[in-house]
Amino acid sequence: MQAIGRVMLSLIGGSHLLGSGKMEVTYQGEKKTIRSEAIDLDGLNRKYGAPATRVALHQEKLDNLDPELRSLVALCTAVSPKERPDLEYLVEEVERQVKTKQPSDYGTKKYQQNESDDALKRIARELMLNANTLPPSGPEPGSGWEPSSDLSSLPWPPPQGPAPGSASFF
């Protein structure tokens, strides 16, 4: 479950590499505080040493983040395995959100155009299926890879891709 949460966190633009912190989440309708690796979802960690423009861009992304998705990612990356949801809950929650959330739910968000089915397919293709990845063992020691440089290479908003039905779509 933690690995799934880390992937979701990376896709949103956060990192688990700088530790954990307390986060307020909603789980099964109840608010609670947990210790989670998803602290980037509450603001860019100062340990990155990112310039003010990068911090502002990260905050802009967070302002567009669905609160239910934030809670789900934080729960999946909880430090204590007892606080993480089980796979059945994760699948049910994702299915519920896919079935009930509409682009109009994000009408006040700056990047609402990224919430359509076509946009989500394009983003998944560009960030997951065609992504440049680190080896399974992670970055090589001394390679110079660090979260701030990796995060800054992510396009936002993601660039427009080919239309559905074209040869290169999925």
Side-chain angles (χ1 to χ4, degrees):
M1 188 55 55
Q2 189 176 41
I4 293 170
R6 287 176 174 174
V7 169
M8 292 189 295
L9 179 61
S10 293
L11 290 172
I12 293 169
S15 175
H16 69 280
L17 297 176
L18 292 176
S20 61
K22 290 183 180 180
M23 296 183 72
E24 189 173 296
V25 297
T26 302
Y27 182 52
Q28 297 180 333
E30 295 183 27
K31 287 191 183 272
K32 66 182 199 171
T33 301
I34 63 168
R35 189 158 193 82
S36 174
E37 296 177 340
I39 55 174
D40 280 355
L41 299 184
D42 284 345
L44 198 58
N45 192 316
R46 283 181 261 157
K47 292 179 185 177
Y48 288 119
T53 54
R54 183 72 194 144
V55 172
L57 179 61
H58 185 76
Q59 188 59 49
E60 186 176 279
K61 288 185 196 180
L62 295 180
D63 292 343
N64 284 275
L65 184 60
D66 182 282
E68 291 179 287
L69 178 59
R70 179 200 165 277
S71 281
L72 188 60
V73 173
L75 286 163
C76 290
T77 58
V79 173
S80 170
K82 293 178 182 178
E83 292 182 314
R84 294 180 203 142
D86 59 25
L87 187 57
E88 183 178 356
Y89 176 83
L90 176 63
V91 170
E92 288 172 1
E93 186 62 13
V94 169
E95 286 178 348
R96 182 188 68 76
Q97 289 195 33
V98 166
K99 291 176 183 175
T100 62
K101 298 281 180 166
Q102 299 296 319
S104 59
D105 294 334
Y106 303 95
T108 61
K109 305 291 186 181
K110 182 174 182 179
Y111 297 113
Q112 62 179 305
Q113 74 276 8
N114 289 333
E115 297 300 331
S116 70
D117 289 346
D118 289 341
L120 292 172
K121 287 177 185 175
R122 176 181 47 79
I123 292 167
R125 183 189 67 250
E126 292 169 1
L127 295 182
M128 294 187 323
L129 302 177
N130 295 337
N132 293 326
T133 59
L134 292 172
S137 61
E140 292 292 322
S143 68
W145 182 89
E146 59 184 25
S148 60
S149 63
D150 186 56
L151 294 174
S152 65
S153 67
L154 292 176
W156 196 262
Q160 293 296 317
S166 68
S168 60
F169 188 81
F170 276 107

